[in-house]
Amino acid sequence: MQTKWSRILWSWATGLTICALMPLASAADLFNFWQVTQRGGNSFNRQPPAAAYFSALHGYGATWVRLSYDKWKPAGRDFLLGDADRYTGLDADDLAQLKATLDLAHAVGLKVVIAPLSLPGARWRQNNHGRFDGRLWQQRAWWEQAAAFWKDLAAALRDHPAIAAYNLINEPAPEFGSDLPEHAGGERRRDWQRKVAGSARDLPAFYNHVIAALRTSDAVTPVMVDAGWYASAAGFDGWPQRLADDKVLYSFHMYEPYAATSAPNMKRSSPYRYPGRVPFGGKPQHWDAATVAAHLRQPLAWAARHGIAKRQLVLGEFGCMRRWPDCRDYLEDVLHVAETEDLHWAFYSFREDAWDGMDYELGRSPVPWAYWQALEQGRADPLPRKATEVFEPIRKRLLRP
């Protein structure tokens, strides 16, 4: 029979053991989170989202949010990095702000995927006076700083209960400025990848390098990687094999045909329509539901060839200009493929506070002057948000079990 003190000591020791194991067990379960279809939205806001923001997204049925912080006000030159020109460690104030925001998401039950727009040697264009920063893809010395950053960030966030994955960098473009066209065919992509293997433009090698460093801080949290050429759906075609790590989620984005879905189309006297003929890859091409499906199935075919489970594929962003007459039909067709193939997905974007173009809760109408006035004054815009016709393809699918 246990004495009173032996029972106390046993309970105390057991409690310590459970507490020690809890973070590890939680992290180990994160890959299981992605074994069921997860639907969510992107947050690329200039202000850290408040509790009401996460609550509203979760209220629609979203289970995760892809969170970027590069528009937030930094303590130094670049948020969290301190300075993308010379990384020396995480900024403590910025890290505290990020953790506080993660706490808010966790409080309402949302999982978060951290998605930096900048890394050392690759400052996001909009924070770089509109210029593409390709140093990361020109000199491998920058890879060391990027690896050090992710090693530090993983150590800081590995036990946070909101984290579902680390998205190493948003929309990388090591191909930019090279002789590989953005819409090149698969064989040309494979030739180009063989040519750049081992160089600073070798995106799979970059990912393997960074993941190896990250794993010294966090052995279990899934890592999400975007395809090349700005996360193109065809961007994986050149990769000769899967990455070395077995807890990787492979992400691609969908805005094609970009000439039709993007803001410049809305300025045309006769905007491109959907379905319809739209410039793509340097020539007109007919785009309809079948074309969308064929385009989106490119990463699925690549994954199947390399033994990658479909549950490891993520449609990380997709969208169209909300005022485009065909936006709802386009979203319907994109999501039909995503749901048919059981892909994880996150729409772009949820209540973006610096741009109304893909804020589907605003419907098809132009925003009033009060919206822009609030942005100029650094205030939250006063417009109410609600489910609208253009948001319906997303809303009804967020509610699916």
Side-chain angles (χ1 to χ4, degrees):
M1 179 181 293
Q2 292 179 319
T3 65
K4 172 184 176 182
W5 288 110
S6 66
R7 288 196 300 271
I8 292 173
L9 287 172
W10 181 86
S11 298
W12 175 74
T14 301
L16 284 180
T17 301
I18 291 173
C19 289
L21 290 175
M22 280 179 64
L24 180 60
S26 177
D29 289 340
L30 285 175
F31 207 65
N32 289 334
F33 171 79
W34 298 102
Q35 299 311 301
V36 177
T37 304
Q38 303 299 340
R39 306 170 178 91
N42 278 272
S43 177
F44 279 48
N45 286 8
R46 61 188 170 88
Q47 299 289 341
Y53 174 96
F54 292 123
S55 181
L57 180 58
H58 186 258
Y60 275 119
T63 56
W64 71 292
V65 58
R66 187 167 173 267
L67 180 70
S68 177
Y69 49 72
D70 290 77
K71 296 180 185 178
W72 302 357
K73 183 176 175 59
R77 172 66 175 85
D78 301 286
F79 194 90
L80 205 57
L81 289 170
D83 190 340
D85 296 332
R86 183 173 177 267
Y87 175 72
T88 58
L90 301 176
D91 184 276
D93 292 338
D94 291 348
L95 180 60
Q97 176 67 80
L98 177 59
K99 286 184 174 181
T101 304
L102 293 174
D103 291 344
L104 297 178
H106 177 65
V108 303
L110 274 179
K111 286 292 186 182
V112 178
V113 173
I114 298 295
L117 307 181
S118 299
L119 286 181
R123 181 177 285 118
W124 180 45
R125 187 190 294 266
Q126 293 186 37
N127 286 347
N128 197 45
H129 310 292
R131 297 192 300 267
F132 178 81
D133 182 4
R135 293 172 293 169
L136 184 65
W137 315 119
Q138 296 163 2
Q139 300 177 26
R140 286 191 58 145
W142 289 103
W143 289 20
E144 301 304 326
Q145 291 196 36
F149 165 74
W150 267 113
K151 178 180 178 181
D152 293 346
L153 187 57
L157 299 182
R158 63 189 173 196
D159 293 331
H160 197 289
I163 294 294
Y166 307 125
N167 197 165
L168 298 185
I169 183 171
N170 178 69
E171 296 190 345
E175 306 89 347
F176 187 90
S178 77
D179 60 354
L180 182 70
E182 186 172 357
H183 301 298
E187 189 55 43
R188 187 165 180 182
R189 289 178 187 271
R190 288 186 283 276
D191 287 343
W192 185 86
Q193 180 60 41
R194 284 191 288 268
K195 182 175 68 174
V196 302
S199 75
R201 292 188 188 271
D202 189 344
L203 185 59
F206 168 76
Y207 282 146
N208 280 328
H209 182 77
V210 172
I211 293 171
L214 182 156
R215 289 299 183 217
T216 65
S217 293
D218 182 342
V220 292
T221 300
V223 170
M224 190 177 292
V225 297
D226 285 8
W229 261 131
Y230 302 112
S232 163
F236 292 120
D237 275 355
W239 293 20
Q241 59 191 15
R242 59 190 297 161
L243 297 182
D245 195 271
D246 63 355
K247 293 183 175 63
V248 173
L249 302 162
Y250 296 84
S251 177
F252 55 96
H253 298 175
M254 179 58 173
Y255 299 100
E256 301 294 3
Y258 188 75
T261 64
S262 59
N265 189 36
M266 303 305 295
K267 298 178 182 179
R268 291 174 50 84
S269 57
S270 298
Y272 296 116
R273 301 300 302 271
Y274 176 85
R277 289 177 68 78
V278 182
F280 181 79
K283 59 184 179 181
Q285 180 177 339
H286 181 78
W287 280 81
D288 56 16
T291 320
V292 164
H295 191 78
L296 285 173
R297 289 192 174 112
Q298 291 177 96
L300 278 77
W302 174 82
R305 289 196 301 270
H306 296 286
I308 298 169
K310 193 181 293 186
R311 288 298 187 195
Q312 290 177 253
L313 298 179
V314 183
L315 177 54
E317 287 186 28
F318 63 91
C320 50
M321 295 297 292
R322 64 181 179 84
R323 299 190 63 201
W324 184 37
D326 307 309
C327 187
R328 173 176 173 155
D329 291 342
Y330 176 80
L331 292 175
E332 186 72 41
D333 288 346
V334 170
L335 280 167
H336 175 74
V337 178
E339 290 291 310
T340 300
E341 299 292 348
D342 284 332
L343 299 174
H344 310 296
W345 55 262
F347 69 92
Y348 193 93
S349 63
F350 187 63
R351 299 186 181 181
E352 188 165 353
D353 60 1
W355 183 56
D356 72 302
M358 295 184 182
D359 191 343
Y360 308 110
E361 290 178 299
L362 296 176
R364 300 185 187 277
S365 301
V367 293
W369 168 244
Y371 176 93
W372 303 111
Q373 188 176 44
L375 294 191
E376 288 179 0
Q377 296 173 355
R379 298 184 289 107
D381 76 75
L383 304 186
R385 300 311 199 270
K386 63 180 180 179
T388 62
E389 179 187 7
V390 71
F391 190 50
E392 184 60 16
I394 297 169
R395 186 205 66 80
K396 68 183 181 183
R397 289 176 173 88
L398 284 174
L399 291 173
R400 291 185 177 178

